[in-house]
Amino acid sequence: VRHTGVRGVPDFQIESGGRRIAIELAKITAQDVEHARGLQRKGLKRTLGISSLYLKKSKPRTVDEIIKEGFSYQPFRFGVSPEGLNEIWIKEVTTQLDKKTAVLRGKQFEHGHEDWLVLWDRIGTDEYEIKSRIEVVKKLLASRWKLGWYSRVFIQQIGSYPFLAIFSQTRIK
């Protein structure tokens, strides 16, 4: 396994049996939620109520805004509905597919015998949503499967309901 560095693309390359696989990584997430989680990792010892942080503003929230919105006690917190969160998830997957397509087409991308895209689901998918989200991703990928595009796309979630879905042009594994 070779990490291609901060400026290198793809993010990693794996070599095995004389074949090289180029792997590009991305998170399905909301920037302000990741910022809040980072504050917790750095020692902020408060309970995080992240629902409202999934709703994007015109620019990323400041640290003070994230603490106020994500960590303060609010007796009546009206966050994002399950349907709204699903829409956010689909939008973030689409955004990452678009961004990573541009990366793949860039001159500096070091292609392998195969190029893979791995999407890490940080928004979260409940167990009952897995099948429907796989179907959504299949539809999002249908128009993208072309020669020179990623040969495999993985969506992985680590956490409450861990899952891994592997997509290729001809089928889902």
Side-chain angles (χ1 to χ4, degrees):
V1 176
R2 178 173 75 92
H3 184 259
T4 53
V6 175
R7 297 187 187 270
V9 285
D11 296 311
F12 294 92
Q13 291 184 339
I14 296 175
E15 215 166 304
S16 178
R19 293 188 52 82
R20 188 176 64 227
I21 299 170
I23 302 173
E24 186 66 17
L25 305 172
K27 291 180 186 175
I28 303 168
T29 191
Q31 181 177 351
D32 291 334
V33 172
E34 290 301 313
H35 191 168
R37 289 174 175 157
L39 291 172
Q40 280 187 315
R41 282 191 300 273
K42 290 179 180 178
L44 185 63
K45 303 227 183 286
R46 292 189 188 169
T47 301
L48 176 58
I50 59 176
S51 186
S52 66
L53 295 177
Y54 282 116
L55 300 172
K56 286 187 176 180
K57 295 197 172 191
S58 58
K59 59 182 183 176
R61 292 168 177 88
T62 65
V63 172
D64 290 338
E65 289 172 325
I66 287 174
I67 290 172
K68 183 178 178 185
E69 246 182 270
F71 295 99
S72 64
Y73 174 73
Q74 297 173 7
F76 298 104
R77 188 180 293 244
F78 299 102
V80 181
S81 69
E83 296 80 15
L85 193 58
N86 192 51
E87 289 174 22
I88 291 167
W89 189 90
I90 293 167
K91 184 178 179 190
E92 289 303 319
V93 169
T94 304
T95 297
Q96 289 305 319
L97 289 172
D98 292 343
K99 285 181 177 180
K100 295 305 179 175
T101 296
V103 168
L104 180 74
R105 292 182 178 149
K107 292 177 185 175
Q108 70 277 24
F109 194 95
E110 296 179 36
H111 294 274
H113 293 96
E114 288 188 50
D115 299 326
W116 292 358
L117 175 59
V118 177
L119 302 173
W120 180 17
D121 183 356
R122 296 277 293 158
I123 289 178
T125 296
D126 284 330
E127 189 173 28
Y128 74 92
E129 297 173 305
I130 293 172
K131 286 183 182 179
S132 63
R133 287 193 172 171
I134 284 173
E135 292 304 314
V136 166
V137 173
K138 284 167 61 174
K139 289 176 185 170
L140 291 172
L141 294 175
S143 65
R144 298 175 189 267
W145 295 121
K146 295 177 180 142
L147 188 62
W149 200 69
Y150 296 101
S151 55
R152 299 208 192 293
V153 175
F154 300 74
I155 295 187
Q156 178 177 0
Q157 175 174 282
I158 302 166
S160 301
Y161 302 102
F163 76 93
L164 173 66
I166 305 170
F167 302 86
S168 65
Q169 185 173 2
T170 56
R171 65 188 174 279
I172 180 173
K173 293 183 176 183

